[in-house]
PDB file of all heavy atoms in Angstrom:
ATOM      1  N   ARG A   1      27.252  13.093 174.996  1.00  0.00           N
ATOM      2  CA  ARG A   1      27.246  14.334 174.218  1.00  0.00           C
ATOM      3  C   ARG A   1      27.530  14.064 172.749  1.00  0.00           C
ATOM      4  O   ARG A   1      26.928  14.664 171.864  1.00  0.00           O
ATOM      5  CB  ARG A   1      28.270  15.309 174.793  1.00  0.00           C
ATOM      6  CG  ARG A   1      27.844  15.959 176.115  1.00  0.00           C
ATOM      7  CD  ARG A   1      28.731  17.126 176.456  1.00  0.00           C
ATOM      8  NE  ARG A   1      30.093  16.709 176.713  1.00  0.00           N
ATOM      9  CZ  ARG A   1      30.557  16.321 177.892  1.00  0.00           C
ATOM     10  NH1 ARG A   1      29.733  16.273 178.935  1.00  0.00           N
ATOM     11  NH2 ARG A   1      31.814  15.970 178.039  1.00  0.00           N
ATOM     12  N   LEU A   2      28.469  13.146 172.492  1.00  0.00           N
ATOM     13  CA  LEU A   2      28.776  12.788 171.112  1.00  0.00           C
ATOM     14  C   LEU A   2      27.573  12.152 170.430  1.00  0.00           C
ATOM     15  O   LEU A   2      27.271  12.434 169.260  1.00  0.00           O
ATOM     16  CB  LEU A   2      29.974  11.829 171.061  1.00  0.00           C
ATOM     17  CG  LEU A   2      31.346  12.445 171.341  1.00  0.00           C
ATOM     18  CD1 LEU A   2      32.404  11.349 171.432  1.00  0.00           C
ATOM     19  CD2 LEU A   2      31.719  13.440 170.240  1.00  0.00           C
ATOM     20  N   HIS A   3      26.898  11.258 171.200  1.00  0.00           N
ATOM     21  CA  HIS A   3      25.702  10.608 170.649  1.00  0.00           C
ATOM     22  C   HIS A   3      24.624  11.637 170.337  1.00  0.00           C
ATOM     23  O   HIS A   3      23.980  11.584 169.280  1.00  0.00           O
ATOM     24  CB  HIS A   3      25.169   9.582 171.655  1.00  0.00           C
ATOM     25  CG  HIS A   3      23.912   8.901 171.208  1.00  0.00           C
ATOM     26  ND1 HIS A   3      23.896   7.965 170.195  1.00  0.00           N
ATOM     27  CD2 HIS A   3      22.612   9.037 171.624  1.00  0.00           C
ATOM     28  CE1 HIS A   3      22.668   7.538 170.009  1.00  0.00           C
ATOM     29  NE2 HIS A   3      21.868   8.172 170.858  1.00  0.00           N
ATOM     30  N   SER A   4      24.444  12.600 171.268  1.00  0.00           N
ATOM     31  CA  SER A   4      23.449  13.655 171.053  1.00  0.00           C
ATOM     32  C   SER A   4      23.807  14.505 169.848  1.00  0.00           C
ATOM     33  O   SER A   4      22.948  14.852 169.034  1.00  0.00           O
ATOM     34  CB  SER A   4      23.347  14.520 172.308  1.00  0.00           C
ATOM     35  OG  SER A   4      22.434  15.581 172.118  1.00  0.00           O
ATOM     36  N   THR A   5      25.106  14.816 169.737  1.00  0.00           N
ATOM     37  CA  THR A   5      25.569  15.621 168.588  1.00  0.00           C
ATOM     38  C   THR A   5      25.369  14.868 167.289  1.00  0.00           C
ATOM     39  O   THR A   5      24.918  15.427 166.282  1.00  0.00           O
ATOM     40  CB  THR A   5      27.048  15.982 168.760  1.00  0.00           C
ATOM     41  OG1 THR A   5      27.211  16.712 169.974  1.00  0.00           O
ATOM     42  CG2 THR A   5      27.540  16.836 167.591  1.00  0.00           C
ATOM     43  N   ASN A   6      25.700  13.558 167.294  1.00  0.00           N
ATOM     44  CA  ASN A   6      25.537  12.748 166.082  1.00  0.00           C
ATOM     45  C   ASN A   6      24.068  12.644 165.677  1.00  0.00           C
ATOM     46  O   ASN A   6      23.741  12.683 164.483  1.00  0.00           O
ATOM     47  CB  ASN A   6      26.109  11.349 166.305  1.00  0.00           C
ATOM     48  CG  ASN A   6      27.620  11.354 166.420  1.00  0.00           C
ATOM     49  OD1 ASN A   6      28.275  12.268 165.902  1.00  0.00           O
ATOM     50  ND2 ASN A   6      28.192  10.356 167.089  1.00  0.00           N
ATOM     51  N   MET A   7      23.195  12.491 166.688  1.00  0.00           N
ATOM     52  CA  MET A   7      21.765  12.423 166.404  1.00  0.00           C
ATOM     53  C   MET A   7      21.274  13.732 165.800  1.00  0.00           C
ATOM     54  O   MET A   7      20.490  13.743 164.844  1.00  0.00           O
ATOM     55  CB  MET A   7      20.987  12.111 167.680  1.00  0.00           C
ATOM     56  CG  MET A   7      21.148  10.686 168.182  1.00  0.00           C
ATOM     57  SD  MET A   7      20.406   9.474 167.057  1.00  0.00           S
ATOM     58  CE  MET A   7      18.668   9.862 167.286  1.00  0.00           C
ATOM     59  N   ALA A   8      21.733  14.848 166.366  1.00  0.00           N
ATOM     60  CA  ALA A   8      21.335  16.155 165.850  1.00  0.00           C
ATOM     61  C   ALA A   8      21.831  16.352 164.427  1.00  0.00           C
ATOM     62  O   ALA A   8      21.113  16.859 163.559  1.00  0.00           O
ATOM     63  CB  ALA A   8      21.866  17.259 166.759  1.00  0.00           C
ATOM     64  N   ASP A   9      23.096  15.925 164.180  1.00  0.00           N
ATOM     65  CA  ASP A   9      23.654  16.047 162.825  1.00  0.00           C
ATOM     66  C   ASP A   9      22.884  15.177 161.846  1.00  0.00           C
ATOM     67  O   ASP A   9      22.634  15.577 160.700  1.00  0.00           O
ATOM     68  CB  ASP A   9      25.129  15.641 162.826  1.00  0.00           C
ATOM     69  CG  ASP A   9      26.010  16.658 163.552  1.00  0.00           C
ATOM     70  OD1 ASP A   9      25.538  17.801 163.742  1.00  0.00           O
ATOM     71  OD2 ASP A   9      27.138  16.296 163.933  1.00  0.00           O
ATOM     72  N   ALA A  10      22.502  13.954 162.303  1.00  0.00           N
ATOM     73  CA  ALA A  10      21.739  13.048 161.430  1.00  0.00           C
ATOM     74  C   ALA A  10      20.382  13.648 161.080  1.00  0.00           C
ATOM     75  O   ALA A  10      19.936  13.589 159.932  1.00  0.00           O
ATOM     76  CB  ALA A  10      21.566  11.698 162.116  1.00  0.00           C
ATOM     77  N   LYS A  11      19.722  14.224 162.109  1.00  0.00           N
ATOM     78  CA  LYS A  11      18.424  14.857 161.857  1.00  0.00           C
ATOM     79  C   LYS A  11      18.568  16.030 160.907  1.00  0.00           C
ATOM     80  O   LYS A  11      17.723  16.257 160.039  1.00  0.00           O
ATOM     81  CB  LYS A  11      17.804  15.315 163.175  1.00  0.00           C
ATOM     82  CG  LYS A  11      17.304  14.181 164.057  1.00  0.00           C
ATOM     83  CD  LYS A  11      16.686  14.717 165.334  1.00  0.00           C
ATOM     84  CE  LYS A  11      16.175  13.576 166.213  1.00  0.00           C
ATOM     85  NZ  LYS A  11      15.577  14.097 167.482  1.00  0.00           N
ATOM     86  N   LYS A  12      19.664  16.780 161.076  1.00  0.00           N
ATOM     87  CA  LYS A  12      19.894  17.937 160.215  1.00  0.00           C
ATOM     88  C   LYS A  12      20.097  17.514 158.769  1.00  0.00           C
ATOM     89  O   LYS A  12      19.573  18.128 157.844  1.00  0.00           O
ATOM     90  CB  LYS A  12      21.107  18.720 160.713  1.00  0.00           C
ATOM     91  CG  LYS A  12      21.339  20.032 159.983  1.00  0.00           C
ATOM     92  CD  LYS A  12      22.486  20.807 160.601  1.00  0.00           C
ATOM     93  CE  LYS A  12      22.692  22.135 159.866  1.00  0.00           C
ATOM     94  NZ  LYS A  12      23.813  22.906 160.441  1.00  0.00           N
ATOM     95  N   VAL A  13      20.878  16.433 158.602  1.00  0.00           N
ATOM     96  CA  VAL A  13      21.118  15.920 157.248  1.00  0.00           C
ATOM     97  C   VAL A  13      19.820  15.423 156.628  1.00  0.00           C
ATOM     98  O   VAL A  13      19.496  15.725 155.474  1.00  0.00           O
ATOM     99  CB  VAL A  13      22.172  14.798 157.276  1.00  0.00           C
ATOM    100  CG1 VAL A  13      22.235  14.097 155.919  1.00  0.00           C
ATOM    101  CG2 VAL A  13      23.538  15.360 157.632  1.00  0.00           C
ATOM    102  N   CYS A  14      19.049  14.649 157.415  1.00  0.00           N
ATOM    103  CA  CYS A  14      17.803  14.065 156.897  1.00  0.00           C
ATOM    104  C   CYS A  14      16.775  15.131 156.554  1.00  0.00           C
ATOM    105  O   CYS A  14      15.903  14.905 155.713  1.00  0.00           O
ATOM    106  CB  CYS A  14      17.221  13.092 157.909  1.00  0.00           C
ATOM    107  SG  CYS A  14      18.205  11.581 158.102  1.00  0.00           S
ATOM    108  N   SER A  15      16.844  16.275 157.249  1.00  0.00           N
ATOM    109  CA  SER A  15      15.879  17.341 156.988  1.00  0.00           C
ATOM    110  C   SER A  15      16.389  18.358 155.981  1.00  0.00           C
ATOM    111  O   SER A  15      15.730  19.366 155.734  1.00  0.00           O
ATOM    112  CB  SER A  15      15.526  18.061 158.303  1.00  0.00           C
ATOM    113  OG  SER A  15      16.679  18.702 158.841  1.00  0.00           O
ATOM    114  N   SER A  16      17.560  18.113 155.385  1.00  0.00           N
ATOM    115  CA  SER A  16      18.101  19.032 154.387  1.00  0.00           C
ATOM    116  C   SER A  16      17.448  18.781 153.043  1.00  0.00           C
ATOM    117  O   SER A  16      17.016  17.662 152.737  1.00  0.00           O
ATOM    118  CB  SER A  16      19.620  18.869 154.271  1.00  0.00           C
ATOM    119  OG  SER A  16      19.928  17.611 153.692  1.00  0.00           O
ATOM    120  N   ILE A  17      17.401  19.803 152.211  1.00  0.00           N
ATOM    121  CA  ILE A  17      16.759  19.673 150.902  1.00  0.00           C
ATOM    122  C   ILE A  17      17.576  18.766 149.984  1.00  0.00           C
ATOM    123  O   ILE A  17      17.026  18.033 149.161  1.00  0.00           O
ATOM    124  CB  ILE A  17      16.532  21.063 150.260  1.00  0.00           C
ATOM    125  CG1 ILE A  17      15.694  20.931 148.989  1.00  0.00           C
ATOM    126  CG2 ILE A  17      17.858  21.747 149.985  1.00  0.00           C
ATOM    127  CD1 ILE A  17      14.317  20.357 149.207  1.00  0.00           C
ATOM    128  N   GLY A  18      18.912  18.777 150.161  1.00  0.00           N
ATOM    129  CA  GLY A  18      19.751  17.917 149.329  1.00  0.00           C
ATOM    130  C   GLY A  18      19.473  16.446 149.571  1.00  0.00           C
ATOM    131  O   GLY A  18      19.295  15.667 148.624  1.00  0.00           O
ATOM    132  N   PHE A  19      19.427  16.051 150.847  1.00  0.00           N
ATOM    133  CA  PHE A  19      19.127  14.660 151.198  1.00  0.00           C
ATOM    134  C   PHE A  19      17.716  14.292 150.749  1.00  0.00           C
ATOM    135  O   PHE A  19      17.480  13.186 150.255  1.00  0.00           O
ATOM    136  CB  PHE A  19      19.270  14.454 152.709  1.00  0.00           C
ATOM    137  CG  PHE A  19      18.951  13.058 153.159  1.00  0.00           C
ATOM    138  CD1 PHE A  19      19.902  12.058 153.099  1.00  0.00           C
ATOM    139  CD2 PHE A  19      17.673  12.749 153.628  1.00  0.00           C
ATOM    140  CE1 PHE A  19      19.594  10.759 153.507  1.00  0.00           C
ATOM    141  CE2 PHE A  19      17.367  11.451 154.035  1.00  0.00           C
ATOM    142  CZ  PHE A  19      18.337  10.455 153.968  1.00  0.00           C
ATOM    143  N   THR A  20      16.769  15.212 150.937  1.00  0.00           N
ATOM    144  CA  THR A  20      15.379  14.963 150.546  1.00  0.00           C
ATOM    145  C   THR A  20      15.273  14.686 149.054  1.00  0.00           C
ATOM    146  O   THR A  20      14.616  13.725 148.634  1.00  0.00           O
ATOM    147  CB  THR A  20      14.496  16.170 150.920  1.00  0.00           C
ATOM    148  OG1 THR A  20      14.485  16.324 152.342  1.00  0.00           O
ATOM    149  CG2 THR A  20      13.073  15.976 150.424  1.00  0.00           C
ATOM    150  N   CYS A  21      15.912  15.512 148.253  1.00  0.00           N
ATOM    151  CA  CYS A  21      15.862  15.334 146.791  1.00  0.00           C
ATOM    152  C   CYS A  21      16.541  14.030 146.381  1.00  0.00           C
ATOM    153  O   CYS A  21      16.047  13.321 145.487  1.00  0.00           O
ATOM    154  CB  CYS A  21      16.521  16.522 146.096  1.00  0.00           C
ATOM    155  SG  CYS A  21      15.583  18.064 146.202  1.00  0.00           S
ATOM    156  N   PHE A  22      17.669  13.712 147.028  1.00  0.00           N
ATOM    157  CA  PHE A  22      18.367  12.471 146.703  1.00  0.00           C
ATOM    158  C   PHE A  22      17.510  11.257 147.043  1.00  0.00           C
ATOM    159  O   PHE A  22      17.400  10.311 146.258  1.00  0.00           O
ATOM    160  CB  PHE A  22      19.702  12.407 147.455  1.00  0.00           C
ATOM    161  CG  PHE A  22      20.432  11.109 147.269  1.00  0.00           C
ATOM    162  CD1 PHE A  22      21.091  10.833 146.077  1.00  0.00           C
ATOM    163  CD2 PHE A  22      20.444  10.154 148.279  1.00  0.00           C
ATOM    164  CE1 PHE A  22      21.765   9.625 145.890  1.00  0.00           C
ATOM    165  CE2 PHE A  22      21.107   8.945 148.108  1.00  0.00           C
ATOM    166  CZ  PHE A  22      21.768   8.684 146.909  1.00  0.00           C
ATOM    167  N   ALA A  23      16.895  11.283 148.233  1.00  0.00           N
ATOM    168  CA  ALA A  23      16.044  10.160 148.651  1.00  0.00           C
ATOM    169  C   ALA A  23      14.837  10.011 147.725  1.00  0.00           C
ATOM    170  O   ALA A  23      14.461   8.894 147.351  1.00  0.00           O
ATOM    171  CB  ALA A  23      15.586  10.374 150.095  1.00  0.00           C
ATOM    172  N   ALA A  24      14.243  11.144 147.342  1.00  0.00           N
ATOM    173  CA  ALA A  24      13.085  11.106 146.440  1.00  0.00           C
ATOM    174  C   ALA A  24      13.475  10.554 145.079  1.00  0.00           C
ATOM    175  O   ALA A  24      12.740   9.758 144.475  1.00  0.00           O
ATOM    176  CB  ALA A  24      12.498  12.505 146.299  1.00  0.00           C
ATOM    177  N   PHE A  25      14.652  10.953 144.584  1.00  0.00           N
ATOM    178  CA  PHE A  25      15.138  10.457 143.293  1.00  0.00           C
ATOM    179  C   PHE A  25      15.396   8.953 143.358  1.00  0.00           C
ATOM    180  O   PHE A  25      14.995   8.197 142.464  1.00  0.00           O
ATOM    181  CB  PHE A  25      16.414  11.203 142.899  1.00  0.00           C
ATOM    182  CG  PHE A  25      17.054  10.708 141.637  1.00  0.00           C
ATOM    183  CD1 PHE A  25      16.522  11.042 140.401  1.00  0.00           C
ATOM    184  CD2 PHE A  25      18.175   9.880 141.680  1.00  0.00           C
ATOM    185  CE1 PHE A  25      17.097  10.580 139.214  1.00  0.00           C
ATOM    186  CE2 PHE A  25      18.755   9.415 140.517  1.00  0.00           C
ATOM    187  CZ  PHE A  25      18.216   9.764 139.279  1.00  0.00           C
ATOM    188  N   LEU A  26      16.075   8.514 144.422  1.00  0.00           N
ATOM    189  CA  LEU A  26      16.402   7.092 144.576  1.00  0.00           C
ATOM    190  C   LEU A  26      15.137   6.245 144.662  1.00  0.00           C
ATOM    191  O   LEU A  26      15.047   5.163 144.065  1.00  0.00           O
ATOM    192  CB  LEU A  26      17.260   6.899 145.826  1.00  0.00           C
ATOM    193  CG  LEU A  26      17.915   5.529 146.002  1.00  0.00           C
ATOM    194  CD1 LEU A  26      18.865   5.240 144.848  1.00  0.00           C
ATOM    195  CD2 LEU A  26      18.671   5.474 147.327  1.00  0.00           C
ATOM    196  N   PHE A  27      14.153   6.732 145.405  1.00  0.00           N
ATOM    197  CA  PHE A  27      12.889   6.011 145.540  1.00  0.00           C
ATOM    198  C   PHE A  27      12.211   5.853 144.186  1.00  0.00           C
ATOM    199  O   PHE A  27      11.673   4.786 143.844  1.00  0.00           O
ATOM    200  CB  PHE A  27      11.989   6.757 146.516  1.00  0.00           C
ATOM    201  CG  PHE A  27      10.740   6.011 146.911  1.00  0.00           C
ATOM    202  CD1 PHE A  27      10.715   4.625 146.939  1.00  0.00           C
ATOM    203  CD2 PHE A  27       9.591   6.699 147.266  1.00  0.00           C
ATOM    204  CE1 PHE A  27       9.573   3.931 147.316  1.00  0.00           C
ATOM    205  CE2 PHE A  27       8.437   6.021 147.638  1.00  0.00           C
ATOM    206  CZ  PHE A  27       8.431   4.634 147.666  1.00  0.00           C
ATOM    207  N   ARG A  28      12.247   6.898 143.385  1.00  0.00           N
ATOM    208  CA  ARG A  28      11.636   6.850 142.059  1.00  0.00           C
ATOM    209  C   ARG A  28      12.377   5.905 141.119  1.00  0.00           C
ATOM    210  O   ARG A  28      11.758   5.207 140.306  1.00  0.00           O
ATOM    211  CB  ARG A  28      11.579   8.262 141.456  1.00  0.00           C
ATOM    212  CG  ARG A  28      10.475   9.127 142.058  1.00  0.00           C
ATOM    213  CD  ARG A  28      10.709  10.614 141.766  1.00  0.00           C
ATOM    214  NE  ARG A  28       9.533  11.408 142.080  1.00  0.00           N
ATOM    215  CZ  ARG A  28       9.160  11.754 143.307  1.00  0.00           C
ATOM    216  NH1 ARG A  28       9.903  11.361 144.346  1.00  0.00           N
ATOM    217  NH2 ARG A  28       8.081  12.486 143.503  1.00  0.00           N
ATOM    218  N   ILE A  29      13.691   5.873 141.231  1.00  0.00           N
ATOM    219  CA  ILE A  29      14.467   4.939 140.409  1.00  0.00           C
ATOM    220  C   ILE A  29      14.090   3.496 140.755  1.00  0.00           C
ATOM    221  O   ILE A  29      13.963   2.633 139.876  1.00  0.00           O
ATOM    222  CB  ILE A  29      15.975   5.161 140.608  1.00  0.00           C
ATOM    223  CG1 ILE A  29      16.380   6.537 140.048  1.00  0.00           C
ATOM    224  CG2 ILE A  29      16.780   4.059 139.936  1.00  0.00           C
ATOM    225  CD1 ILE A  29      16.136   6.706 138.560  1.00  0.00           C
ATOM    226  N   CYS A  30      13.890   3.232 142.041  1.00  0.00           N
ATOM    227  CA  CYS A  30      13.459   1.894 142.459  1.00  0.00           C
ATOM    228  C   CYS A  30      12.085   1.551 141.872  1.00  0.00           C
ATOM    229  O   CYS A  30      11.836   0.411 141.452  1.00  0.00           O
ATOM    230  CB  CYS A  30      13.408   1.810 143.981  1.00  0.00           C
ATOM    231  SG  CYS A  30      15.033   1.875 144.785  1.00  0.00           S
ATOM    232  N   LEU A  31      11.194   2.523 141.813  1.00  0.00           N
ATOM    233  CA  LEU A  31       9.877   2.288 141.225  1.00  0.00           C
ATOM    234  C   LEU A  31       9.970   2.026 139.729  1.00  0.00           C
ATOM    235  O   LEU A  31       9.216   1.213 139.185  1.00  0.00           O
ATOM    236  CB  LEU A  31       8.963   3.492 141.496  1.00  0.00           C
ATOM    237  CG  LEU A  31       8.239   3.515 142.844  1.00  0.00           C
ATOM    238  CD1 LEU A  31       7.386   4.773 142.966  1.00  0.00           C
ATOM    239  CD2 LEU A  31       7.352   2.279 143.005  1.00  0.00           C
ATOM    240  N   ILE A  32      10.877   2.720 139.050  1.00  0.00           N
ATOM    241  CA  ILE A  32      11.079   2.467 137.619  1.00  0.00           C
ATOM    242  C   ILE A  32      11.540   1.025 137.409  1.00  0.00           C
ATOM    243  O   ILE A  32      11.055   0.321 136.513  1.00  0.00           O
ATOM    244  CB  ILE A  32      12.104   3.458 137.026  1.00  0.00           C
ATOM    245  CG1 ILE A  32      11.518   4.870 136.991  1.00  0.00           C
ATOM    246  CG2 ILE A  32      12.510   3.027 135.614  1.00  0.00           C
ATOM    247  CD1 ILE A  32      12.495   5.927 136.522  1.00  0.00           C
ATOM    248  N   ALA A  33      12.484   0.587 138.257  1.00  0.00           N
ATOM    249  CA  ALA A  33      12.972  -0.800 138.164  1.00  0.00           C
ATOM    250  C   ALA A  33      11.843  -1.787 138.420  1.00  0.00           C
ATOM    251  O   ALA A  33      11.708  -2.803 137.713  1.00  0.00           O
ATOM    252  CB  ALA A  33      14.110  -1.011 139.156  1.00  0.00           C
ATOM    253  N   TYR A  34      11.012  -1.496 139.435  1.00  0.00           N
ATOM    254  CA  TYR A  34       9.866  -2.369 139.698  1.00  0.00           C
ATOM    255  C   TYR A  34       8.912  -2.370 138.509  1.00  0.00           C
ATOM    256  O   TYR A  34       8.369  -3.424 138.144  1.00  0.00           O
ATOM    257  CB  TYR A  34       9.124  -1.905 140.947  1.00  0.00           C
ATOM    258  CG  TYR A  34       7.749  -2.529 141.051  1.00  0.00           C
ATOM    259  CD1 TYR A  34       7.597  -3.843 141.475  1.00  0.00           C
ATOM    260  CD2 TYR A  34       6.607  -1.815 140.675  1.00  0.00           C
ATOM    261  CE1 TYR A  34       6.337  -4.434 141.538  1.00  0.00           C
ATOM    262  CE2 TYR A  34       5.349  -2.388 140.734  1.00  0.00           C
ATOM    263  CZ  TYR A  34       5.221  -3.699 141.162  1.00  0.00           C
ATOM    264  OH  TYR A  34       3.983  -4.285 141.203  1.00  0.00           O
ATOM    265  N   GLY A  35       8.696  -1.213 137.918  1.00  0.00           N
ATOM    266  CA  GLY A  35       7.799  -1.119 136.774  1.00  0.00           C
ATOM    267  C   GLY A  35       8.263  -1.971 135.606  1.00  0.00           C
ATOM    268  O   GLY A  35       7.434  -2.588 134.905  1.00  0.00           O
TER     269      GLY A  35
END
């Protein structure tokens, strides 16, 4: 049950707009460094 709850919480976090924006920003910063 704990594992199921943790998985659900992880999915919820990953599908949140805050996490999405942070991941998108971080990915772009990595591209700037590559550039």
Side-chain angles (χ1 to χ4, degrees):
R1 286 193 295 272
L2 286 173
H3 178 72
S4 178
T5 301
N6 291 335
M7 288 293 291
D9 290 342
K11 288 181 180 179
K12 187 175 181 181
V13 170
C14 291
S15 64
S16 69
I17 188 61
F19 179 84
T20 296
C21 289
F22 175 75
F25 176 77
L26 191 61
F27 189 29
R28 284 163 168 77
I29 293 299
C30 291
L31 276 179
I32 291 176
Y34 165 77

